[in-house]
Amino acid sequence: MEPTQPPPPPPSPQGGPQQGGWPAPGPYTSPGMPYAAGPYAGGPGMPGVGPYGMPPRTTNGLAIGSLVSGIVCCLPPLGLVLGLVALPQIRKRDQSGKGLAIAGIALSAISCLLLVVGLATGGFNSVWSGFKEGMDEASRSKSPLSLRTGQCFNDDGKSEEYTEEVEIVDCDRPHDGEVTGGFKVTGFDKWPGEDALDEIAVERCEPLNAAYAMDTWAVPEHVWLYYYLPSKESWRLGDRLVTCTFATEEEPFSGSLRSDAGSLDGDQEHFLKTVNPIETAMYREPEEDPDEDFTGNKAWAGEMLAAIDAARAGLGRHSWPGASTAPVAELRKDLDAASKAWGKLAKASDADAYWDAYDPAWDVLPDGADARAALGLTDTPPEGGGGGSTTA
């Protein structure tokens, strides 16, 4: 059965509401029907329902798109097209958004005009170049934590205790430093202190630098081992990275120092691996003279002797190409003479005998410049030696 509603009582002779009968018709109601109100009754102001129960007018989406495109000025022709298409749709569908479409058309037209003027006068190219340059500069400014092996950089804060930002530059340009590698510190549950990190950094960075720049004569005399350490504050945030570099606090240098196994040919690599241990041993000479530390100096002379003999043997085991054959053979003869002189130094019976043999041993130690030149390596040694270290 269909639901029915009882008929209303007869009207009062006086024309007023009947006692206990239906109320007079009110706003948004029909005679004999209850007043619809409340959040679930679909009254005015509720989503999807307009005044007097009619659905509201929708806003044309193309008009909105036209306005947005006109405002952001990225695609002005698109905003113009969207606005022109939106206007007839608004009329046909009885939608709102005419003002939005007109505003979008106007803004897009202005943007198109500016774009044409900019292209004609070169102003747009100037703006784009400035934007590109700014983005490029931002991409080059990095934390030392983000430095990668082989990158060259400038560090304006190297005189400060900690560096927060460096600028990546092309290695052909003058720069303050070049990254040789890095490693993460392990084995500590809490902050180990700067002294402990310094010791670890020197121990780990020295071989990284040596492997990165095997052609040690190409490293300028004022360029030394530097490294970036975690600070106490960054350690708390999980920073454990040590970045190893060649760097300077003096005049910037140009050109990459990289001469590792991947950038050398087989002959160059074998030569440097053979003779570099002599140079490494040289820098280990004790600071105290033999009068104060005879045992230490004598042991060091023995290290030099071992490096010289190993180099002489290593050069003899390799087949050297073309023009390098003769100078390498000459270097082997010179190393043979040096071996005898350093052997005498290593066997000195006391400090006086050590001093007597000291200068003659250095005098006969060859540098191998001719062999280096024949192999295409740097043949001019730096005036001084590197090997120092500092933190940043």
Side-chain angles (χ1 to χ4, degrees):
M1 297 177 60
E2 294 183 0
T4 58
Q5 184 172 348
S12 167
Q14 292 82 10
Q18 294 291 326
Q19 190 73 19
W22 296 107
Y28 314 114
T29 66
S30 299
M33 296 296 293
Y35 179 71
Y40 301 103
M46 295 307 298
V49 179
Y52 304 100
M54 297 295 294
R57 297 175 71 196
T58 59
T59 302
N60 186 274
L62 295 181
I64 298 174
S66 174
L67 180 63
V68 172
S69 299
I71 292 175
V72 300
C73 298
C74 292
L75 296 170
L78 176 62
L80 187 62
V81 171
L82 292 177
L84 293 175
V85 173
L87 287 177
Q89 286 188 358
I90 291 171
R91 288 193 298 269
K92 292 178 181 179
R93 301 174 183 177
D94 193 25
Q95 292 179 308
S96 61
K98 181 178 180 181
L100 300 179
I102 293 174
I105 292 171
L107 291 173
S108 297
I110 295 173
S111 297
C112 288
L113 179 62
L114 292 176
L115 179 60
V116 172
V117 172
L119 291 173
T121 61
F124 179 79
N125 290 334
S126 177
V127 172
W128 174 251
S129 297
F131 173 77
K132 186 177 180 181
E133 182 178 349
M135 291 297 294
D136 185 50
E137 182 176 351
S139 68
R140 294 196 308 267
S141 298
K142 296 179 179 292
S143 163
L145 295 176
S146 64
L147 288 172
R148 297 293 179 265
T149 301
Q151 288 183 325
C152 297
F153 62 91
N154 286 321
D155 180 1
D156 292 334
K158 56 181 174 287
S159 60
E160 301 175 0
E161 185 175 2
Y162 290 104
T163 296
E164 295 182 355
E165 185 177 284
V166 296
E167 180 190 11
I168 306 300
V169 299
D170 191 299
C171 289
D172 290 334
R173 294 175 50 190
H175 50 274
D176 298 328
E178 183 171 348
V179 182
T180 61
F183 61 91
K184 288 187 177 181
V185 178
T186 59
F188 296 94
D189 295 330
K190 61 181 181 179
W191 167 249
E194 291 184 8
D195 291 342
L197 291 178
D198 276 328
E199 184 176 348
I200 295 171
V202 171
E203 180 180 357
R204 297 282 300 275
C205 285
E206 282 185 344
L208 286 175
N209 279 27
Y212 184 87
M214 296 177 65
D215 189 359
T216 56
W217 288 15
V219 180
E221 60 173 331
H222 63 287
V223 174
W224 295 72
L225 164 65
Y226 279 72
Y227 44 83
Y228 291 95
L229 299 176
S231 67
K232 188 174 184 179
E233 291 73 19
S234 67
W235 182 277
R236 294 194 188 112
L237 300 175
D239 176 18
R240 301 292 186 272
L241 182 64
V242 174
T243 302
C244 307
T245 77
F246 276 116
T248 179
E249 291 184 348
E250 302 176 22
E251 182 181 357
F253 59 99
S254 300
S256 174
L257 303 178
R258 192 166 200 162
S259 55
D260 55 9
S263 60
L264 300 171
D265 62 37
D267 299 315
Q268 292 172 328
E269 182 182 359
H270 182 84
F271 180 86
L272 294 174
K273 283 185 175 181
T274 301
V275 302
N276 278 358
I278 299 176
E279 187 175 283
T280 301
M282 287 168 52
Y283 290 113
R284 293 177 180 169
E285 183 176 10
E287 294 183 3
E288 296 180 340
D289 61 38
D291 295 319
E292 298 173 342
D293 183 13
F294 174 69
T295 301
N297 280 269
K298 186 174 180 178
W300 167 75
E303 292 181 20
M304 284 289 296
L305 175 62
I308 291 170
D309 289 342
R312 183 181 54 172
L315 293 175
R317 288 193 297 266
H318 189 79
S319 178
W320 299 100
S324 65
T325 302
V328 171
E330 187 66 25
L331 175 59
R332 289 193 67 220
K333 293 180 181 179
D334 293 339
L335 288 173
D336 184 63
S339 177
K340 296 175 182 178
W342 282 88
K344 186 176 180 180
L345 183 65
K347 295 176 181 178
S349 57
D350 54 32
D352 290 337
Y354 190 93
W355 282 122
D356 290 340
Y358 185 80
D359 286 340
W362 280 109
D363 290 341
V364 298
L365 185 65
D367 58 18
D370 291 340
R372 287 174 175 267
L375 291 168
L377 298 169
T378 306
D379 59 353
T380 303
E383 294 180 1
S389 63
T390 186
T391 62

